[in-house]
Amino acid sequence: MKRLLIISLVVLLMAGCSISKEKSAVFPEDEFFLIGHRGASAYVPENTLASFALAEDLGADYIELDIHETKDGKLVVMHDKDVSRTTEGHGNIETFTLDELKSLSIVERKKDKETVLGPSESMAVPTLQEVFDQFGDSLNYVVELKNPSRYPNIEKKLVQQLEENDLIQKDKKGRPRAVIHSFSEKALQRVHKINPDIPLLQLISFDEGEEAELSKKKITKLLSYADGIGVSYEALTPPFVNYMHEKGLAVFAYTVNDPEVALRLQAMGLNGIHTDKPDLVEREK
Ligand code: G3P
Ligand code: CA
């Protein structure tokens, strides 16, 4: 009986630990992060080294990038699972080897105008490793697991790559070097199992016109693996943001390109925003 009581106590304590994460433990409370969404994608073709370089120049705290896996198992940076929108090629990424993908020109399609660029070092489909090699610790990273169910083991590969690049740690300002986010709850839970030290953000979409709201059950579940959420900014309200913070969950908003909206969200106490224009608000030098 006594043994059973001790075991129950240990289980309860462990459960308590997993739901008592403090926001401040992961993201410094007084900061408002500007996350360059697919780099500085309002100005330069998204998810290219050139786009990330501009995001860095414009003062982004993090760059956000989307990953997939090639036919020969390499992690590459692209938003869509299909290469057609952003390159001259056609077909799903997993049908291309890395060399084949690298040989594709990037195509910028704006209204009626199509511009073919590269392929060159900065204007091509990058591997995740090339991004880490080029920017090292001059930038921090938010990596999105995109369509993870298409790529068995992509979580394991990503964690391994973050570990190999010493990215599972904080920078000098106490910010996590690398964060993973995804709309896939399962993928994030898999990452959490592989390495519980990686900060995770659950992306959540709400219907147009709907105000953000989460049930107690959902929040308890989130707290068992995630450190925060990423939500479309239109759905956010001050009471919701406060409630998430009280529960120990950080709140990020996507995708904010209007300076007034950015300042309103900052005043609401958000932890940061994803933006295609990392220069949309002035930063203190
Ligand atoms: O910034 C969050 C965002 O990355 C999720 O949407 O479609 O731009 O990857 P998407
Ligand atoms: Ca993304």
Side-chain angles (χ1 to χ4, degrees):
M1 184 65 181
K2 199 174 163 194
R3 201 156 159 237
L4 193 67
L5 268 174
I6 292 171
I7 292 171
S8 311
L9 198 63
V10 170
V11 170
L12 275 174
L13 277 172
M14 285 170 69
C17 286
S18 70
I19 61 167
S20 65
K21 283 182 179 182
E22 292 290 324
K23 180 186 79 152
S24 58
V26 178
F27 298 99
E29 268 184 48
D30 52 345
E31 292 211 75
F32 181 68
F33 294 131
L34 287 182
I35 303 169
H37 180 238
R38 312 183 201 172
S41 55
Y43 310 121
V44 178
E46 66 185 55
N47 280 328
T48 56
L49 293 178
S51 183
F52 300 135
L54 182 60
E56 182 188 16
D57 288 350
L58 296 179
D61 302 302
Y62 283 80
I63 49 170
E64 192 265 351
L65 46 87
D66 309 279
I67 62 160
H68 297 260
E69 202 175 319
T70 61
K71 192 176 174 180
D72 46 350
K74 302 289 189 291
L75 298 188
V76 289
V77 180
M78 188 180 280
H79 181 271
D80 303 0
K81 62 180 187 298
D82 183 302
V83 304
S84 312
R85 181 177 60 87
T86 52
T87 76
E88 61 178 341
H90 296 283
N92 286 338
I93 295 174
E94 72 255 32
T95 65
F96 289 80
T97 63
L98 179 59
D99 283 349
E100 286 163 352
L101 210 56
K102 283 273 173 200
S103 70
L104 298 177
S105 291
I106 298 294
V107 180
E108 188 177 43
R109 295 180 168 93
K110 280 186 181 170
K111 291 189 184 146
D112 299 335
K113 199 174 159 220
E114 238 186 61
T115 315
V116 179
L117 302 150
S120 65
E121 204 179 317
S122 66
M123 196 53 72
V125 181
T127 63
L128 183 61
Q129 189 55 48
E130 282 167 344
V131 177
F132 294 154
D133 288 344
Q134 170 144 343
F135 299 100
D137 55 15
S138 62
L139 272 175
N140 289 330
Y141 307 93
V142 178
V143 181
E144 180 169 354
L145 282 162
K146 212 74 182 164
N147 313 110
S149 58
R150 299 181 82 86
Y151 314 108
N153 279 328
I154 192 166
E155 297 87 2
K156 207 171 163 192
K157 286 186 178 184
L158 173 58
V159 171
Q160 196 178 341
Q161 210 156 330
L162 295 180
E163 287 171 350
E164 283 168 7
N165 286 277
D166 279 334
L167 286 169
I168 305 175
Q169 54 165 308
K170 293 198 170 175
D171 68 10
K172 286 179 196 144
K173 294 178 178 167
R175 303 161 164 189
R177 296 287 333 276
V179 176
I180 299 177
H181 71 173
S182 184
F183 284 103
S184 165
E185 191 177 297
K186 280 190 184 148
L188 292 180
Q189 286 168 341
R190 275 195 288 271
V191 171
H192 187 70
K193 238 185 198 167
I194 301 167
N195 188 330
D197 294 332
I198 300 176
L200 302 177
L201 299 175
Q202 178 68 60
L203 292 172
I204 301 171
S205 64
F206 291 96
D207 291 338
E208 216 182 308
E210 192 188 359
E211 286 192 352
E213 204 180 357
L214 295 174
S215 67
K216 281 190 178 146
K217 197 174 161 199
K218 176 77 178 171
I219 292 171
T220 304
K221 195 175 191 188
L222 282 170
L223 286 164
S224 70
Y225 66 93
D227 301 283
I229 56 173
V231 179
S232 170
Y233 72 89
E234 292 98 333
L236 290 171
T237 60
F240 176 78
V241 174
N242 289 339
Y243 185 54
M244 289 300 105
H245 284 166
E246 272 167 34
K247 294 288 176 190
L249 289 165
V251 183
F252 291 84
Y254 62 86
T255 303
V256 181
N257 290 322
D258 178 333
E260 278 179 24
V261 175
L263 292 173
R264 182 167 57 78
L265 293 170
Q266 184 170 16
M268 220 188 262
L270 251 70
N271 298 80
I273 55 168
H274 295 254
T275 177
D276 302 328
K277 302 175 174 180
D279 58 345
L280 92 167
V281 289
E282 285 230 7
R283 309 305 308 269
E284 281 173 28
K285 298 266 159 144

